[in-house]
């Protein structure tokens, strides 16, 4: 991550648009007494991005990785951290040292975290995760979660049972809806009856749950969301609210070659650089450009979208992106800069690529 000027590829991050996205979402959620914990993974916990999130004084910042947690602490981030990837046993000591809270779904892990927290003289807050059908983390039977809650509450003195939560729209692509959110709300009530006190947090998921807040269908009992994509990219799998900026992040790449060539490769087709057979459309001779950024930097070329008209992404190797620019108005030549909008996935890759220069608009 380098920031010298006039170096490409460059990732330009508009901190003011990010701030406006956060303000818009925070306002709408606050109206319904829903607390937001911003998730830093989509921007690889870049300091400037995290600082904007901190301006909103969240109770927690969410991270999925210990290296990000370590870096945020070293950079002076004061907000307590919540680990949102259920910790592996080997991660427990450092996780307890760096994070004040975590999502959990395994009793043996909870016992290990309790012991470690005791050793470090800390109280660690936990949110127990219930799997509501997406098949990623979480207890499957409600009774199991209730038993775990009782054990945390009564027998694990260095843990604080902060609440329960769920994760959707991930592996199983299950959409948050009234049915599964109401299920989570009912489970919260059962846990509260079992432990004899209210839970602070009932965490109803991630960006894909926001649409329910906006349409007013989120059950009253859900009072917490962990939000990444919709803050950073203004998008989610369940809708792109029109009051959010979708251009907080812009990739700028420099043209290194531009000339006319056939649109269909010439010779015997084998496999591409990634060992895959590919299909090419023959559109005759077309003007093509190459920009010096590739899959190693952003992942999938389908996840970047040209901002200039008349530019189309054809494909990419690890280090190059091939563009059709036949319909580009004007003369494109080596040295020119083209801009691309980004998806959540490509944003996460670009924020982590050591070859990408990052600059900020504020
Ligand atoms: C990544 C993640 C989130 C945030 O998801 P977005 O879609 O970016 O809002 C929330 N919770 C967990 C457990 C996650 O892993």
């Amino acid at each position: 991550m380098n920031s010298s000027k006039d170096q490409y590829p460059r990732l330009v991050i508009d901190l003011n648009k990010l701030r406006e996205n956060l303000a818009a979402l925070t306002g709408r959620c606050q109206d319904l007494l829903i607390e937001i914990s911003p998730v830093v993974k989509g921007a690889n916990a870049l300091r400037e991005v995290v600082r904007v999130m901190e301006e909103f004084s969240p109770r927690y910042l969410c991270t999925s990785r210990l290296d990000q947690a370590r870096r945020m602490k070293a950079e002076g981030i004061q907000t307590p951290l919540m680990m949102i990837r259920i910790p592996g046993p080997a991660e427990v000591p450092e996780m307890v040292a760096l994070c004040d809270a975590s999502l959990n779904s395994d009793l043996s892990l909870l016992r290990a975290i309790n012991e470690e927290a005791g050793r470090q003289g800390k109280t660690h807050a936990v949110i127990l995760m219930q799997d509501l059908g997406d098949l990623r983390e979480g207890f499957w039977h409600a009774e199991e979660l209730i038993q775990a809650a009782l054990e945390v509450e009564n027998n694990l003195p260095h843990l604080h049972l902060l609440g329960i939560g769920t994760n959707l729209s991930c592996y199983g692509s299950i959409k948050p809806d009234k049915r599964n959110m109401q299920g989570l709300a009912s489970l919260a009530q059962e846990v509260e009856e079992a432990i004899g006190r209210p839970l602070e947090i009932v965490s109803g998921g991630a960006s894909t749950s926001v649409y329910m807040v906006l349409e007013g269908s989120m059950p009253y009992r859900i009072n917490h969301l962990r939000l990444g994509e919709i803050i950073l990219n203004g998008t989610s799998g369940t809708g792109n609210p029109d009051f959010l900026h979708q251009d907080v992040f812009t990739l700028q790449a420099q043209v290194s070659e531009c000339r006319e060539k056939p649109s269909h490769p010439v010779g015997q087709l084998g496999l591409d650089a990634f060992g895959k057979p590919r299909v090419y459309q023959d559109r005759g001779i077309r003007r093509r450009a190459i920009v010096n950024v590739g899959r190693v930097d952003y992942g999938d070329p389908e996840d970047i979208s040209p901002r200039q008209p008349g530019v189309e992404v054809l494909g990419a190797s690890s280090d190059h992106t091939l563009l059709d620019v036949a319909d580009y108005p004007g003369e494109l030549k080596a040295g020119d800069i083209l801009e691309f909008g980004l998806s959540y996935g490509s944003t996460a890759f670009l924020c982590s690529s050591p070859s990408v220069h990052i600059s900020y608009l504020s």
Side-chain angles (χ1 to χ4, degrees), residues 39 41 84 103 136-137 167 206-207 226-229 344:
V39 176
K41 71 182 175 205
I84 58 169
L103 310 183
R136 209 178 74 176
E137 74 272 44
N167 193 60
S207 295
R226 314 173 303 270
L227 302 183
E229 177 176 9
Y344 190 43

Side-chain angles (χ1 to χ4, degrees), residues 117-291:
R119 211 171 290 140
Q120 296 186 25
K122 293 186 164 173
T123 300
H124 185 87
V126 296
I127 293 180
L128 302 185
M129 298 297 277
Q130 176 72 8
D131 186 341
L132 296 173
D134 202 61
L135 307 184
R136 209 178 74 176
E137 74 272 44
F139 293 95
W140 186 250
H141 299 292
E143 194 47 40
E144 261 186 294
L145 182 142
I146 294 167
Q147 286 309 318
L150 278 168
E151 173 155 350
V152 170
E153 184 74 2
N154 299 325
N155 303 332
L156 303 179
H158 308 291
L159 298 185
H160 169 59
L161 180 61
L162 183 62
I164 66 167
T166 195
N167 193 60
L168 294 163
S169 316
C170 201
Y171 170 74
S173 339
I174 297 301
K175 197 176 156 177
D177 59 17
K178 277 191 197 162
R179 192 187 165 90
N180 48 38
M181 286 297 116
Q182 195 53 58
L184 186 65
S186 310
L187 180 59
Q189 190 172 343
E190 286 184 69
V191 171
E192 289 172 339
E193 279 163 14
I195 63 173
R197 67 165 177 90
L199 291 171
E200 284 160 64
I201 283 184
V202 184
S203 188
S207 295
T208 54
S209 296
V210 167
Y211 87 97
M212 294 182 68
V213 176
L214 300 178
E215 71 177 27
S217 59
M218 187 62 90
Y220 169 71
R221 195 60 190 82
I222 308 297
N223 63 2
H224 179 263
L225 295 174
R226 314 173 303 270
L227 302 183
E229 177 176 9
I230 203 157
I231 292 173
L232 297 172
N233 299 86
T235 56
S236 87
T238 53
N240 312 328
D242 58 8
F243 57 85
L244 294 177
H245 300 289
Q246 291 176 20
D247 56 352
V248 171
F249 296 86
T250 300
L251 170 66
Q252 296 180 335
Q254 191 164 37
V255 175
S256 53
E257 174 185 308
C258 189
R259 60 163 51 96
E260 295 201 335
K261 288 187 185 178
S263 44
H264 196 278
V266 180
Q268 274 193 64
L269 287 184
L271 302 174
D272 77 357
F274 292 86
K276 302 244 166 67
R278 300 269 179 199
V279 180
Y280 304 87
Q281 195 192 347
D282 191 350
R283 298 194 286 175
I285 302 284
R286 304 278 292 179
R287 196 161 178 81
R288 303 161 66 88
I290 298 177
V291 288

Side-chain angles (χ1 to χ4, degrees), residues 52-69:
V52 172
M53 292 172 168
E54 243 192 348
E55 287 172 20
F56 291 79
S57 310
R59 178 153 46 144
Y60 294 104
L61 285 168
C62 298
T63 176
S64 52
R65 289 173 185 265
L66 286 177
D67 62 286
Q68 294 176 355

Side-chain angles (χ1 to χ4, degrees), residues 44-120:
N44 188 28
L46 286 175
R47 186 184 54 205
E48 287 77 359
V49 169
V50 176
R51 289 238 188 271
V52 172
M53 292 172 168
E54 243 192 348
E55 287 172 20
F56 291 79
S57 310
R59 178 153 46 144
Y60 294 104
L61 285 168
C62 298
T63 176
S64 52
R65 289 173 185 265
L66 286 177
D67 62 286
Q68 294 176 355
R70 216 178 290 135
R71 188 149 44 79
M72 284 191 280
K73 288 292 177 195
E75 289 170 349
I77 295 300
Q78 302 288 326
T79 307
L81 302 179
M82 178 184 286
M83 176 57 61
I84 58 169
R85 178 168 71 179
I86 47 172
E91 296 178 313
V92 167
E94 200 180 6
M95 199 271 292
V96 169
L98 294 169
C99 302
D100 289 25
S102 57
L103 310 183
N104 284 279
S105 60
D106 184 283
L107 204 42
S108 68
L109 252 294
L110 286 161
R111 290 176 186 141
I113 297 169
N114 175 65
E115 247 178 61
E116 184 61 34
R119 211 171 290 140
Q120 296 186 25

Side-chain angles (χ1 to χ4, degrees), residues 278-314:
R278 300 269 179 199
V279 180
Y280 304 87
Q281 195 192 347
D282 191 350
R283 298 194 286 175
I285 302 284
R286 304 278 292 179
R287 196 161 178 81
R288 303 161 66 88
I290 298 177
V291 288
N292 279 358
V293 62
R295 287 177 188 265
V296 167
D297 303 296
Y298 55 64
D300 187 338
E302 287 185 6
D303 285 343
I304 65 170
S305 35
R307 288 261 172 79
Q308 279 97 345
V311 180
E312 190 188 326
V313 176
L314 295 169

